[in-house]
Amino acid sequence: MLARKRDAALHATGSAGERRPRLGARPPPRRRRDADRAEELKRIAQTLAAHEPERVLERGYAIVSDAGGDVVTSAEAARRQARLRVRFSDDDVLTEVIGDE
């Protein structure tokens, strides 16, 4: 009876929705923990790969930089440059800025 009272008290002090392991409860088997970790690492690796600049370029985007190699992030900044380099997935193109028409 004391063990049940202790478990009930421990359960009642936990925050809402929080699951506390029972005293004496076994952790998941090591193989399962390792598999869970491997799956989580795989998911993180896929997320990182999706945000690599090369992958973004493959989806049709381009990276624009000035003569010094700094990335140009706005039309206003591009207008202040005489030349720009536009990087696509397959190659770079050097461009000349002629202004707005």
Side-chain angles (χ1 to χ4, degrees), residues 38-94:
E39 190 61 36
E40 179 70 9
L41 286 173
K42 181 179 175 184
R43 188 188 62 76
I44 291 169
Q46 288 171 338
T47 301
L48 288 173
H51 292 89
E52 281 184 27
E54 294 299 323
R55 300 278 297 188
V56 174
L57 293 173
E58 289 170 1
R59 292 195 301 263
Y61 291 89
I63 298 173
V64 179
S65 58
D66 62 16
D70 294 324
V71 175
V72 177
T73 60
S74 69
E76 180 183 337
R79 288 184 191 105
R80 291 192 301 256
Q81 304 297 319
R83 292 180 161 225
L84 296 170
R85 182 169 302 280
V86 182
R87 180 176 169 198
F88 297 96
S89 64
D90 61 344
D91 202 1
D92 293 1
V93 175
L94 185 61

Side-chain angles (χ1 to χ4, degrees), residues 23-41:
L23 292 176
R26 292 178 145 179
R30 182 179 180 113
R31 273 190 244 150
R32 193 169 107 210
R33 286 190 315 246
D34 289 348
D36 290 346
R37 286 184 187 141
E39 190 61 36
E40 179 70 9
L41 286 173

Side-chain angles (χ1 to χ4, degrees), residues 6-29:
R6 182 193 64 218
D7 288 346
L10 288 173
H11 180 70
T13 59
S15 60
E18 180 183 354
R19 292 187 158 226
R20 292 180 174 260
R22 287 190 352 243
L23 292 176
R26 292 178 145 179

